[in-house]
Amino acid sequence: MSAETARAVTESGRDRQARLRAEVDDAPSISAGEYRGISRRSFLTAGAAVAGGVFGFYGLQKRPEIDNIPDVTRRFHRLNERIWSTGFRDDHLAPTYSPAESSILRVNGRIGIRSEIDLETWTLEVHGSDGTVLGTHTLDEIMALPKHEMIIEHKCVEGWSQVTTWAGARFSDFQGWYPKYADTGYVALETPGGDYYVGNDRATMDHPQTLLVYEMVGGPLDQEHGAPLRLATPLKYGIKQLKRIGVVRFTDVQPADYWAERGYDYYAAL
Ligand SMILES: Nc1nc2c(c(=O)[nH]1)N[C@H]1C(S)=C(S)[C@@H](COP(=O)(O)O)O[C@H]1N2
Ligand SMILES: [Mo]
């Protein structure tokens, strides 16, 4: 048996997460366990278990994880979805701040954006769940959508936060170009080449404060902050706000998610 095969057979889900985390130099400096402590997940998990009476809290923690996808029923998954995706906020707006409180974000996370790209030739590809290309868009097309500005607090799972100003198009307006796909359960986002990838739930993507951003604090986005186009939303931790979007994919199947695969909560909701 090769070492690779032996590892595949014996490695636990937790070991795999630790190994994957160790392989990246951008790994958050706090562990997934510590992160869970500061996220609302444990609180909400307990609440869900009590309210729904589906599984006990202890049982939930002990469930086997296969490739980090908890072994749960579809029904329980839907319950998770409603509770963890955008908390209990529904359409309520996250707090906004004054321009005086806002500054250029520190740069954090360079997965999938280390090399420079040619902003002139960049396009945004839109895929169906089977990978079919549904459309291709230039930045000018995105910029022709109504422009919205928001001054919000950006929060990172590493434990820092900063108020900044974003401007761009609402994802919901962009979605208007693809009405047939407006009800998919998820929207996947990927960097060109696919090195960084996230899945976001539909409720988050439909929210009025979820923007396809091309400006920060009044100036064009630079490459380290995700030019030409990135996601910004106050509903999620930074890990879900993909910089340099290359592909948007509409799907009902929960998309692969870079940090969820490394032990972080899939929803990373605030
Ligand atoms: N492509 C890509 N997007 C990414 C990341 C990354 O590593 N690669 N890191 C995420 C994390 S953890 C955070 S906190 C924010 C940071 O955005 P900023 O560099 O503009 O502050 O980007 C997010 N988007
Ligand atoms: Mo982050």
Side-chain angles (χ1 to χ4, degrees), residues 182-256:
D183 293 322
T184 60
Y186 299 91
V187 177
L189 304 171
E190 293 168 16
T191 52
D195 283 346
Y196 195 66
Y197 44 91
V198 302
N200 277 314
D201 52 89
R202 171 57 63 189
T204 294
M205 298 310 284
D206 286 350
H207 192 276
Q209 289 170 300
T210 297
L211 303 184
L212 291 170
V213 158
Y214 45 79
E215 278 181 19
M216 179 195 280
V217 199
L221 211 56
D222 60 48
Q223 296 222 8
E224 291 193 300
H225 289 103
L229 198 67
R230 72 172 290 164
L231 195 75
T233 176
L235 305 184
K236 298 289 186 188
Y237 277 103
I239 47 176
K240 291 291 193 177
Q241 301 175 41
L242 189 124
K243 300 191 275 192
R244 191 188 288 179
I245 307 170
V247 173
V248 167
R249 188 160 41 85
F250 301 122
T251 178
D252 279 319
V253 180
Q254 188 178 79

Side-chain angles (χ1 to χ4, degrees), residues 108 156-158 238-239:
N108 201 62
C156 174
V157 297
E158 291 176 57
I239 47 176

Side-chain angles (χ1 to χ4, degrees), residues 21-250:
R21 260 206 308 282
E23 281 170 8
V24 281
D25 53 10
D26 285 298
S29 56
I30 60 169
S31 71
E34 287 170 306
Y35 159 69
R36 269 194 284 278
I38 60 167
S39 80
R40 298 169 67 207
R41 181 186 177 184
S42 43
F43 165 71
L44 290 171
T45 302
V50 171
V54 185
F55 289 109
F57 180 64
Y58 185 71
L60 188 72
Q61 298 299 304
K62 295 293 263 194
R63 267 180 297 122
E65 290 189 312
I66 302 155
D67 254 2
N68 199 41
I69 299 159
D71 170 27
V72 291
T73 63
R74 190 78 192 152
R75 192 160 129 248
F76 187 64
H77 180 68
R78 285 291 171 200
L79 177 67
N80 287 346
E81 192 96 306
R82 254 176 287 136
I83 293 168
W84 288 346
S85 58
T86 48
F88 300 100
R89 232 197 324 265
D90 297 328
D91 253 3
H92 295 194
L93 296 179
T96 55
Y97 300 82
S98 72
E101 295 167 279
S102 155
S103 57
I104 301 275
L105 270 191
R106 66 192 253 188
V107 175
N108 201 62
R110 291 180 173 81
I111 305 162
I113 65 167
R114 286 201 177 80
S115 54
E116 292 259 312
I117 51 161
D118 182 354
L119 299 179
E120 301 302 313
T121 57
W122 170 93
T123 55
L124 179 65
E125 270 194 18
V126 181
H127 293 184
S129 58
D130 60 359
T132 315
V133 180
L134 305 174
T136 303
H137 303 284
T138 62
L139 187 61
D140 284 345
E141 290 175 63
I142 308 291
M143 290 176 79
L145 288 167
K147 184 177 177 181
H148 293 273
E149 191 178 272
M150 61 180 184
I151 307 179
I152 56 141
E153 188 176 14
H154 175 96
K155 292 184 185 160
C156 174
V157 297
E158 291 176 57
W160 59 272
S161 69
Q162 201 182 322
V163 172
T164 195
T165 309
W166 300 115
R170 281 189 177 145
F171 188 85
S172 59
D173 287 338
F174 170 78
Q175 183 73 58
W177 295 344
Y178 295 91
K180 280 200 335 204
Y181 301 87
D183 293 322
T184 60
Y186 299 91
V187 177
L189 304 171
E190 293 168 16
T191 52
D195 283 346
Y196 195 66
Y197 44 91
V198 302
N200 277 314
D201 52 89
R202 171 57 63 189
T204 294
M205 298 310 284
D206 286 350
H207 192 276
Q209 289 170 300
T210 297
L211 303 184
L212 291 170
V213 158
Y214 45 79
E215 278 181 19
M216 179 195 280
V217 199
L221 211 56
D222 60 48
Q223 296 222 8
E224 291 193 300
H225 289 103
L229 198 67
R230 72 172 290 164
L231 195 75
T233 176
L235 305 184
K236 298 289 186 188
Y237 277 103
I239 47 176
K240 291 291 193 177
Q241 301 175 41
L242 189 124
K243 300 191 275 192
R244 191 188 288 179
I245 307 170
V247 173
V248 167
R249 188 160 41 85
F250 301 122

